[in-house]
Amino acid sequence: MYFQRNFRWQEIPLHLYPVLYFFFVFTADEEDTVIDSDGRQERAKDKERKKERDRKRRRNVARRASSARKEGKELEDRPEREERRGRKKRDKEGKGKGKGGEDERQEEVKNDTVAKIQKNFSNENTRKLEQKEMEVVGEEDGDTEGKRKNGRSKKDEKKEDKEKHESSEEEEDEEEKEGEEKPDVLSPEELEKLKEEVDERKKLISTLRGKPWPMRKKLLTLRESHEFVEKYEGALGKGKSRKLTVICYRDFENFKTACVPWEMKIKEIESHFGSSVASYFIFLRWMYGINMILFGLTFGLVMVPEALMGRPYGSMPRKTVPRADEANAMDFAVLWDFGGYAQYSVLFYGYYNSQRAIGWLKFRMPLSYFLVGVGTVAYSYMVVIRTMARNANEDGGGDNNSFNFSWKMFTSWDYLIGNPETADNKFASITTSFKEAILEEQESRKDDNIHLTRFLRVLANFLVLCCLAGSGYLIYFVVRRSQKFALEGLESHSWWERNEVNMVMSLLGMFCPMLFDVISALENYHPRIALQWQLGRIFALFLGNLYTFIIALMDEINLKREEEEVLKLNMTIWEASLYNGTLGANSTAPPITVHPADIPRGPCWETMVGQEFVRLIVSDTMTTYITLLIGDFLRAVLVRFLNYCWCWDLEAGFPSYSEFDVSGNVLGLIFNQGMIWMGAFYAPCLPALNVLRLHVSMYLQCWAVMCCNVPQERVFKASGSNNFYMAMLLVILFLSTLPAIYTIVTIPPSFDCGPFSGKSRMFDVIQETLESDFPAWFGKVFSYASNPGLVLPFLLLMVLAIYYLQSTSKSYKQANLELKKKLQTQNEENKKKTKMAAQKAAMDLEEAQNARSESPRQQRNNNASQQSYRGEKNTVAFI
Amino acid sequence: MVSGAIALAFLPLVLTFIIRYRYYFVLFYRAVLVRMWYDCKTGLSREERAFQYVLTHAIPGDPESILETFDLWCSKVEFISNIGPKKGKIMDRMLSEHCPLTVLELGSHCGYSTVRIARALPLGARLYSVEMDARNAAIAEKIIRLAGFDDDTVELIASPSDEVIPRLRADYGLERLDFVFMDHWKKCYRPDLQALEGSGLLGKGSVVLADNVLFPGAPNFIRHVRKSGLYEWKIHRATLEYSKGIRDGMAELVYQGIK
């Protein structure tokens, strides 16, 4: 259709790219290719087919009319109705397929429908004629006549059918029978038969894919059997409802897809950039869902109850801004740093009161706080592991190395691509990958260059390690310096020096991956493997940065705790002085009222930790967005508009447009999540912030990708990388819960802030609840259950169970592999057998031909010739 | 005051830039810095230096040797953006495929590509070479004569291409151009191609070969070719002459005429 001699790629509709690809690959077997030199041939064949169908249908109608005569006039228009129903249904089919983009098919279907409308006219005419004929024949022996006619037509048809395909013959036969059994009064036997046939059709539909037929025949059979099932399921009394349910189901499915947030956006991106970029956005959406739940937990069970039912602002020292900071507590700079009023609000740990139950609901605030903290982490573990398990089920666990070229040949097209440019890129990348694979194959046979590649890979890793060490040292240095600054007092230093740690971490996190990317060019890996290496390296970098940050935080916590000790001492002195100063020694006088803002208070290390995390998140987000705007958007604008007046081609040459950096973005997301998990206990506002960030970045990045990035030069599939992301997420989850749990378990909470103030450890809140809120026996049971004598065997049992399950799964995998091998060998044997049979048949044919060529010579010898002739016949029959 | 640590954090960025664009830096060094240095030192122009080198090192009358000497000088001593040996091979192949009888070259510079084309031409073919700069044209003339091609084979026209093209039919009696090679100012690619289209010298099957369409690049030219629909075209991807890492390409257009 579109295939002219000097076509251009841009003119070809996208869905034809894979077809074209295969067209080039298999130039043989031209009859069955979808694209002919022009579509005429195809259409002509279609017409032929339609004509044939027409003929059959007319015959059917005639027969039906003859049998219907018996039953009266009501039934007369049934065939027509059926026709109409069929037409409608086919129309619908055509629409559905048209949506899928199969223009060709749509056209075919349209032609079909047009033909059918015409046919309907002709059908009616023929029917009328037929009826007239019947009337002429007479009413006395009409029945017998009709039957005879019926039989005759049936015979005729059978004769004709013999010339056609076997399957269509069968179908026609069946349809004929159905046509006869159609009358409304069906005996139970017939009904049973009908049911059986419908079931058979359904079976055929389901197994059609595996049939060794040409595509056209398959399509035809499929359409006809669909029609059949549709038609006679109605006769069986469940057709209409089924149709309705199908429509409902489809609508419901559509509705469901419409409900999935950002689905259309992601699909669009997928079509433009391939699945590797889309996998990032899918991951982002998944992350958003998890964060929504975390946000719901913290917001609904911690922040809102405290805000509504807890003591109001200003009622206690921990809920009041101290007198010294009051003057600039509302300044934007202070609020931006999450100090001032932001610090003394529900956003941070320190604001919460240690009152056991608050409000008229008797809401157990400290317990809720603790359980939500534990619950968020537990929930995250559960979700990540469940997703991983589900993903692991999806990949079959086959080996990828055995049929390299076959895989490349048959599976390299990415069917989600919907953009000509990307399709071009994919086309080019497939060709290059073929070239590379061939080269690789040749080289693996030569294998002289392997040492160089190995050396380069080792060198690349060495360089990356150097880089990691350097960046680690730089962060360490900066953190030490910032501690020095903190001791000296932050006010005497500039903004740059105060924010040095964050700045350096963000900058290193931004620039080092670029360096890794450049270094990884040395290694010459396949892009999918290169992506994983890159991910691993950036992972190491970020992890180093994060842990340096945490170690610095730990130091700061220790400092704060020392400060707290000093303050506790001072506090008693202050209180004593307060009492002594105002009253005499013996006082039973009314208590002195001091404004809560004036009461000295501890440094509250928990709030400090929370603030640090929140600041880190905010600065990280800002860096990401600014990089996006400068690195992608500004660059794209410059390249686009300066290109008109520049001395070289900016688009093709030096700055060019940026590609979407999958690995960096994924890792940014993962580490961001790690920080959320770590800090959420001390700053309940963190999940909310993260939800906001993810929401914004979804829109911003979608926009940025579509507007300022170009598809990667080597578009590759990333279907397997999702589990890689998940694995990293799990590692990060583990690594980020470690410090959080460590602080919760080992460090006593501050004495004058937070829901656990006054307790020696944070988890004492559980003990307390057990003692006071549960009946005594429960506490006893719990204490027995937590007895190490019981816990240890239980753990042991669990380990054993895990071991057992793992070994069984391993053996299953082994069995699977064995089965696969068996299947393969069986396949090969079958192939051999068929080959042998074919050879034998060919030999027989040759013999027969030889015999025939010899036969004229022997014609005089009557006996011999007859024998040979018979022999030939036999062989032909055998064949 | 920005602290040193923050400045150090930019080190990976700088390194990345240096590594990623190393070929461009090398090119800048060789094509600009070295050239300026020699200009000051010798007082001669780059082309004159190249000519001196060729004169002293190549065998007169042997185009092969002259080309080799040029390549040697351009890759070892200084940089001149000739077509280079790799892209030259592509051009040789195309010339041997098409066997053009009338060839127009825009931008002969030092005569490297002129010698290259003239060497591959069939007997009786004629090459018109256009060079804007008079000094370069003089050097190109010398080189061409040194290679042993006389006036019948190669005719050098020392004037700007946009003046020459409209006069080709009248002054030089040309009816049709079989092969056009463009290697002059990248900005002039499109106007010159349009002028060629307008002059009617391009017939069905005429080949236009344009060098350096990716680097430094001629986006307007490519856009015009893509839009006009007069050509069957493709880009031969290669690297920039005498440099490994900079990607460049030659556009091969086959004139189809208006359909």
Side-chain angles (χ1 to χ4, degrees), chain B residues 6 16 21 26 44 55 57 62-63 69 73 87-88 119 122 133 165 204 208 215 219 239 241:
Chain B
I6 292 179
T16 310
Y21 300 114
V26 168
L44 294 170
L55 204 59
H57 290 76
D62 183 5
T69 320
W73 188 78
K87 283 191 286 185
R119 189 184 61 153
D133 190 280
I165 290 170
K204 189 167 166 38
V208 179
F215 182 88
T239 55
E241 52 274 3

mmCIF file of all heavy atoms in Angstrom, chain B residues 6 16 21 26 44 55 57 62-63 69 73 87-88 119 122 133 165 204 208 215 219 239 241:
data_model
loop_
_atom_site.group_PDB
_atom_site.id
_atom_site.type_symbol
_atom_site.label_atom_id
_atom_site.label_comp_id
_atom_site.label_asym_id
_atom_site.label_seq_id
_atom_site.Cartn_x
_atom_site.Cartn_y
_atom_site.Cartn_z
ATOM 1 N N ILE B 6 33.448 23.488 47.857
ATOM 2 C CA ILE B 6 32.392 23.537 46.838
ATOM 3 C C ILE B 6 33.022 23.610 45.453
ATOM 4 O O ILE B 6 32.568 22.960 44.512
ATOM 5 C CB ILE B 6 31.463 24.742 47.098
ATOM 6 C CG1 ILE B 6 30.684 24.505 48.386
ATOM 7 C CG2 ILE B 6 30.509 24.938 45.949
ATOM 8 C CD1 ILE B 6 29.774 25.607 48.773
ATOM 9 N N THR B 16 34.639 15.449 33.460
ATOM 10 C CA THR B 16 33.699 14.876 32.501
ATOM 11 C C THR B 16 33.760 15.610 31.186
ATOM 12 O O THR B 16 33.833 15.013 30.116
ATOM 13 C CB THR B 16 32.267 14.962 33.055
ATOM 14 O OG1 THR B 16 32.256 14.461 34.357
ATOM 15 C CG2 THR B 16 31.315 14.191 32.184
ATOM 16 N N TYR B 21 34.703 15.642 25.687
ATOM 17 C CA TYR B 21 34.930 16.471 24.500
ATOM 18 C C TYR B 21 36.413 16.592 24.172
ATOM 19 O O TYR B 21 36.855 17.603 23.649
ATOM 20 C CB TYR B 21 34.297 17.843 24.694
ATOM 21 C CG TYR B 21 32.808 17.723 24.907
ATOM 22 C CD1 TYR B 21 32.225 18.073 26.115
ATOM 23 C CD2 TYR B 21 32.001 17.221 23.895
ATOM 24 C CE1 TYR B 21 30.865 17.925 26.299
ATOM 25 C CE2 TYR B 21 30.651 17.071 24.078
ATOM 26 C CZ TYR B 21 30.085 17.432 25.284
ATOM 27 O OH TYR B 21 28.734 17.274 25.464
ATOM 28 N N VAL B 26 41.371 18.710 21.320
ATOM 29 C CA VAL B 26 42.548 18.412 20.496
ATOM 30 C C VAL B 26 42.443 19.142 19.169
ATOM 31 O O VAL B 26 43.410 19.750 18.682
ATOM 32 C CB VAL B 26 42.685 16.889 20.288
ATOM 33 C CG1 VAL B 26 43.710 16.580 19.209
ATOM 34 C CG2 VAL B 26 43.055 16.209 21.580
ATOM 35 N N LEU B 44 54.281 32.776 7.117
ATOM 36 C CA LEU B 44 53.586 32.250 5.939
ATOM 37 C C LEU B 44 52.171 31.841 6.341
ATOM 38 O O LEU B 44 51.891 31.625 7.512
ATOM 39 C CB LEU B 44 54.315 31.015 5.398
ATOM 40 C CG LEU B 44 55.707 31.242 4.836
ATOM 41 C CD1 LEU B 44 56.366 29.900 4.567
ATOM 42 C CD2 LEU B 44 55.640 32.071 3.573
ATOM 43 N N LEU B 55 55.958 20.128 -1.565
ATOM 44 C CA LEU B 55 56.975 20.337 -2.597
ATOM 45 C C LEU B 55 58.265 19.628 -2.245
ATOM 46 O O LEU B 55 58.940 19.048 -3.089
ATOM 47 C CB LEU B 55 57.230 21.840 -2.742
ATOM 48 C CG LEU B 55 57.786 22.303 -4.073
ATOM 49 C CD1 LEU B 55 56.818 21.924 -5.176
ATOM 50 C CD2 LEU B 55 58.009 23.814 -4.042
ATOM 51 N N HIS B 57 58.541 17.020 -0.057
ATOM 52 C CA HIS B 57 58.442 15.609 0.309
ATOM 53 C C HIS B 57 57.798 14.710 -0.740
ATOM 54 O O HIS B 57 58.010 13.507 -0.718
ATOM 55 C CB HIS B 57 57.679 15.445 1.626
ATOM 56 C CG HIS B 57 58.448 15.930 2.812
ATOM 57 N ND1 HIS B 57 58.603 17.268 3.095
ATOM 58 C CD2 HIS B 57 59.122 15.273 3.776
ATOM 59 C CE1 HIS B 57 59.313 17.406 4.187
ATOM 60 N NE2 HIS B 57 59.659 16.205 4.626
ATOM 61 N N ASP B 62 53.028 12.519 -9.381
ATOM 62 C CA ASP B 62 52.394 11.326 -8.819
ATOM 63 C C ASP B 62 51.296 11.757 -7.833
ATOM 64 O O ASP B 62 51.600 12.122 -6.694
ATOM 65 C CB ASP B 62 53.450 10.483 -8.094
ATOM 66 C CG ASP B 62 52.859 9.194 -7.552
ATOM 67 O OD1 ASP B 62 51.669 8.937 -7.828
ATOM 68 O OD2 ASP B 62 53.577 8.475 -6.835
ATOM 69 N N PRO B 63 50.054 11.771 -8.271
ATOM 70 C CA PRO B 63 48.967 12.236 -7.395
ATOM 71 C C PRO B 63 48.903 11.434 -6.105
ATOM 72 O O PRO B 63 48.645 11.988 -5.025
ATOM 73 C CB PRO B 63 47.698 12.020 -8.226
ATOM 74 C CG PRO B 63 48.106 11.592 -9.578
ATOM 75 C CD PRO B 63 49.578 11.354 -9.599
ATOM 76 N N THR B 69 51.362 12.641 1.103
ATOM 77 C CA THR B 69 52.128 13.672 1.798
ATOM 78 C C THR B 69 51.207 14.642 2.500
ATOM 79 O O THR B 69 51.459 15.058 3.641
ATOM 80 C CB THR B 69 53.018 14.435 0.804
ATOM 81 O OG1 THR B 69 53.554 13.523 -0.118
ATOM 82 C CG2 THR B 69 54.108 15.171 1.515
ATOM 83 N N TRP B 73 51.049 15.368 6.473
ATOM 84 C CA TRP B 73 51.230 16.705 7.046
ATOM 85 C C TRP B 73 50.032 17.076 7.930
ATOM 86 O O TRP B 73 50.181 17.629 9.010
ATOM 87 C CB TRP B 73 51.389 17.728 5.907
ATOM 88 C CG TRP B 73 51.769 19.087 6.415
ATOM 89 C CD1 TRP B 73 53.001 19.485 6.812
ATOM 90 C CD2 TRP B 73 50.904 20.210 6.577
ATOM 91 N NE1 TRP B 73 52.985 20.790 7.214
ATOM 92 C CE2 TRP B 73 51.690 21.259 7.082
ATOM 93 C CE3 TRP B 73 49.553 20.420 6.339
ATOM 94 C CZ2 TRP B 73 51.167 22.515 7.355
ATOM 95 C CZ3 TRP B 73 49.037 21.669 6.614
ATOM 96 C CH2 TRP B 73 49.832 22.706 7.118
ATOM 97 N N LYS B 87 37.051 9.492 4.199
ATOM 98 C CA LYS B 87 35.909 9.971 3.426
ATOM 99 C C LYS B 87 36.273 10.017 1.948
ATOM 100 O O LYS B 87 35.415 9.861 1.071
ATOM 101 C CB LYS B 87 35.472 11.337 3.929
ATOM 102 C CG LYS B 87 34.697 11.229 5.228
ATOM 103 C CD LYS B 87 34.024 12.525 5.607
ATOM 104 C CE LYS B 87 35.024 13.506 6.111
ATOM 105 N NZ LYS B 87 34.362 14.739 6.601
ATOM 106 N N GLY B 88 37.573 10.238 1.691
ATOM 107 C CA GLY B 88 38.029 10.242 0.308
ATOM 108 C C GLY B 88 37.771 8.916 -0.371
ATOM 109 O O GLY B 88 37.419 8.870 -1.553
ATOM 110 N N ARG B 119 42.080 12.373 -10.151
ATOM 111 C CA ARG B 119 42.724 11.073 -10.246
ATOM 112 C C ARG B 119 41.734 9.984 -10.625
ATOM 113 O O ARG B 119 42.056 9.046 -11.350
ATOM 114 C CB ARG B 119 43.337 10.762 -8.880
ATOM 115 C CG ARG B 119 44.219 9.575 -8.824
ATOM 116 C CD ARG B 119 44.645 9.361 -7.406
ATOM 117 N NE ARG B 119 43.476 9.111 -6.567
ATOM 118 C CZ ARG B 119 43.513 8.400 -5.452
ATOM 119 N NH1 ARG B 119 44.653 7.909 -5.035
ATOM 120 N NH2 ARG B 119 42.439 8.212 -4.738
ATOM 121 N N PRO B 122 37.267 9.460 -15.360
ATOM 122 C CA PRO B 122 37.512 8.706 -16.594
ATOM 123 C C PRO B 122 38.167 9.589 -17.652
ATOM 124 O O PRO B 122 38.233 10.816 -17.493
ATOM 125 C CB PRO B 122 36.112 8.278 -17.017
ATOM 126 C CG PRO B 122 35.210 9.289 -16.433
ATOM 127 C CD PRO B 122 35.838 9.727 -15.154
ATOM 128 N N ASP B 133 39.278 32.240 -2.487
ATOM 129 C CA ASP B 133 40.468 32.959 -2.056
ATOM 130 C C ASP B 133 41.566 32.865 -3.126
ATOM 131 O O ASP B 133 41.935 31.776 -3.556
ATOM 132 C CB ASP B 133 40.952 32.352 -0.730
ATOM 133 C CG ASP B 133 42.034 33.192 -0.095
ATOM 134 O OD1 ASP B 133 43.202 33.073 -0.519
ATOM 135 O OD2 ASP B 133 41.693 33.957 0.809
ATOM 136 N N ILE B 165 28.391 30.107 -10.300
ATOM 137 C CA ILE B 165 27.350 29.147 -10.693
ATOM 138 C C ILE B 165 26.401 29.704 -11.760
ATOM 139 O O ILE B 165 26.139 29.024 -12.757
ATOM 140 C CB ILE B 165 26.590 28.661 -9.448
ATOM 141 C CG1 ILE B 165 27.533 27.783 -8.625
ATOM 142 C CG2 ILE B 165 25.355 27.858 -9.829
ATOM 143 C CD1 ILE B 165 27.014 27.439 -7.273
ATOM 144 N N LYS B 204 18.604 14.552 -14.255
ATOM 145 C CA LYS B 204 18.211 13.363 -13.502
ATOM 146 C C LYS B 204 19.412 12.441 -13.354
ATOM 147 O O LYS B 204 20.070 12.108 -14.330
ATOM 148 C CB LYS B 204 17.089 12.646 -14.238
ATOM 149 C CG LYS B 204 16.469 11.538 -13.421
ATOM 150 C CD LYS B 204 15.191 11.078 -14.058
ATOM 151 C CE LYS B 204 14.672 9.772 -13.509
ATOM 152 N NZ LYS B 204 14.807 9.522 -12.109
ATOM 153 N N VAL B 208 25.161 15.049 -6.058
ATOM 154 C CA VAL B 208 25.764 16.142 -5.294
ATOM 155 C C VAL B 208 26.321 15.539 -4.022
ATOM 156 O O VAL B 208 25.603 14.861 -3.289
ATOM 157 C CB VAL B 208 24.721 17.221 -4.946
ATOM 158 C CG1 VAL B 208 25.370 18.323 -4.137
ATOM 159 C CG2 VAL B 208 24.090 17.776 -6.198
ATOM 160 N N PHE B 215 29.540 17.847 11.150
ATOM 161 C CA PHE B 215 30.454 18.718 11.871
ATOM 162 C C PHE B 215 31.359 19.411 10.878
ATOM 163 O O PHE B 215 32.020 18.732 10.113
ATOM 164 C CB PHE B 215 31.288 17.929 12.876
ATOM 165 C CG PHE B 215 32.213 18.798 13.666
ATOM 166 C CD1 PHE B 215 31.779 19.390 14.839
ATOM 167 C CD2 PHE B 215 33.499 19.071 13.214
ATOM 168 C CE1 PHE B 215 32.619 20.211 15.556
ATOM 169 C CE2 PHE B 215 34.333 19.895 13.931
ATOM 170 C CZ PHE B 215 33.902 20.466 15.105
ATOM 171 N N PRO B 219 22.954 22.541 8.879
ATOM 172 C CA PRO B 219 21.569 22.165 9.155
ATOM 173 C C PRO B 219 20.583 22.723 8.126
ATOM 174 O O PRO B 219 19.634 22.030 7.745
ATOM 175 C CB PRO B 219 21.287 22.749 10.535
ATOM 176 C CG PRO B 219 22.357 23.733 10.790
ATOM 177 C CD PRO B 219 23.530 23.312 9.990
ATOM 178 N N THR B 239 33.963 9.743 10.466
ATOM 179 C CA THR B 239 34.492 10.684 11.450
ATOM 180 C C THR B 239 35.163 11.831 10.726
ATOM 181 O O THR B 239 35.467 11.745 9.542
ATOM 182 C CB THR B 239 35.526 10.008 12.369
ATOM 183 O OG1 THR B 239 36.530 9.424 11.538
ATOM 184 C CG2 THR B 239 34.873 8.943 13.214
ATOM 185 N N GLU B 241 37.869 14.306 9.344
ATOM 186 C CA GLU B 241 39.179 13.965 8.800
ATOM 187 C C GLU B 241 40.284 14.171 9.842
ATOM 188 O O GLU B 241 40.254 15.121 10.614
ATOM 189 C CB GLU B 241 39.474 14.829 7.560
ATOM 190 C CG GLU B 241 39.303 16.323 7.764
ATOM 191 C CD GLU B 241 37.874 16.808 7.547
ATOM 192 O OE1 GLU B 241 37.015 15.941 7.300
ATOM 193 O OE2 GLU B 241 37.632 18.001 7.649
#
